[in-house]
Amino acid sequence: MLNIQKRNNYHYLTIFFILFCMQSCYAQNDKIKTFFEAEKSRNYQDCIKQSGVNAIKQINENQEVIKLMTNGCKSRGTIFDNFIDGAMTLLSSSKDKGGDFIIFNWKVYSPYIPAPTVTMFQTDKVNVVEFTYYDEENNKYDSILRRKIYEEKEEKFKSEFLYIKTNLSGEILEENLSRYSRNDYYIIKRIGGKLFFYTLINGNVKQVQQ
């Protein structure tokens, strides 16, 4: 009878632990999505302000022009959809659900192509979700946006990684890394179960409160 009771207690504790982990994961994912959605909204508002579309609305009745400019600002938000996709994909594939990690996200700079992004998930190894127009098989760029998931073993993004780490630590930036300031970076750390969010834009690190 006592053994049955012990087995039942173990069973209930196991269920409780699983439910607790699931709830913790859902809360974590919600915070990450909220971070990117807020950055997406801020990015859109900044684009609208810089474009002067609100002033144009007051003097120009050409709705097609206004719509074109507005849609252009909306398209810039595609990168944040990619970041959410990348972060959620890599988190769900991680075996260590409670361990520390760093997620590095950045927009690959191009004034003409807004969508390509990289999401790096660092634990004891580095996994990547990359959105790119580069066709590796034919060694060329084309019009098809590809979503690639792989373990990073070749240090393909070594320079971007060093640029981010150097700025986060407040160390002096090496001159050969300064050109990577043209990218916009969004960093998520989990340390001791707590999430920390940062942006690194134009070389300026800012911690974002959630």
Side-chain angles (χ1 to χ4, degrees):
M1 186 71 177
L2 185 60
N3 287 336
I4 294 174
Q5 186 176 1
K6 285 183 177 179
R7 285 199 299 269
N8 287 338
N9 288 341
Y10 177 78
H11 178 70
Y12 292 138
L13 284 171
T14 302
I15 293 175
F16 174 79
F17 179 75
I18 292 172
L19 290 173
F20 176 79
C21 288
M22 288 176 62
Q23 184 179 18
S24 177
C25 286
Y26 285 137
Q28 169 186 267
N29 291 353
D30 284 344
K31 287 184 178 180
I32 291 173
K33 288 179 181 178
T34 298
F35 167 64
F36 285 128
E37 290 291 351
E39 289 300 314
K40 180 179 180 178
S41 176
R42 181 193 61 76
N43 187 273
Y44 173 77
Q45 295 300 331
D46 286 348
C47 179
I48 290 294
K49 183 178 180 180
Q50 292 170 10
S51 70
V53 68
N54 290 329
I56 294 173
K57 286 180 181 179
Q58 298 177 13
I59 60 175
N60 192 338
E61 295 182 359
N62 190 333
Q63 294 300 313
E64 287 301 318
V65 172
I66 294 171
K67 183 178 179 181
L68 185 64
M69 295 177 70
T70 302
N71 287 341
C73 288
K74 287 181 179 179
S75 71
R76 288 176 53 173
T78 305
I79 66 167
F80 299 100
D81 297 331
N82 292 354
F83 291 155
I84 292 172
D85 181 312
M88 296 300 104
T89 298
L90 295 174
L91 280 169
S92 64
S93 66
S94 175
K95 293 181 180 180
D96 186 1
K97 301 299 182 184
D100 294 347
F101 62 72
I102 305 179
I103 303 177
F104 304 94
N105 309 269
W106 67 88
K107 172 187 179 296
V108 180
Y109 177 77
S110 170
Y112 308 107
I113 308 174
T117 59
V118 176
T119 296
M120 288 177 56
F121 182 79
Q122 182 187 30
T123 51
D124 57 337
K125 58 182 180 179
V126 176
N127 290 316
V128 173
V129 173
E130 182 182 0
F131 286 84
T132 180
Y133 287 100
Y134 182 63
D135 179 359
E136 291 183 345
E137 185 175 341
N138 296 305
N139 192 28
K140 66 176 184 178
Y141 287 89
D142 60 27
S143 60
I144 301 173
L145 183 63
R146 294 168 171 80
R147 178 181 181 270
K148 301 191 299 182
I149 305 173
Y150 55 92
E151 183 179 347
E152 174 58 271
K153 296 181 179 180
E154 301 177 358
E155 297 188 325
K156 178 179 177 181
F157 303 107
K158 180 180 179 180
S159 295
E160 289 91 343
F161 181 77
L162 285 174
Y163 175 80
I164 296 169
K165 297 281 282 187
T166 300
N167 276 280
L168 285 177
S169 64
E171 298 176 9
I172 297 175
L173 193 69
E174 295 180 14
E175 187 175 345
N176 65 318
L177 294 175
S178 60
R179 67 190 182 94
Y180 293 98
S181 64
R182 64 187 181 182
N183 296 335
D184 294 340
Y185 303 88
Y186 302 85
I187 304 102
I188 303 168
K189 290 184 179 182
R190 185 170 72 188
I191 303 174
K194 187 174 181 180
L195 290 172
F196 301 88
F197 300 87
Y198 303 87
T199 61
L200 173 52
I201 299 174
N202 296 324
N204 299 313
V205 176
K206 178 182 177 183
Q207 184 171 354
V208 180
Q209 301 297 328
Q210 286 288 91

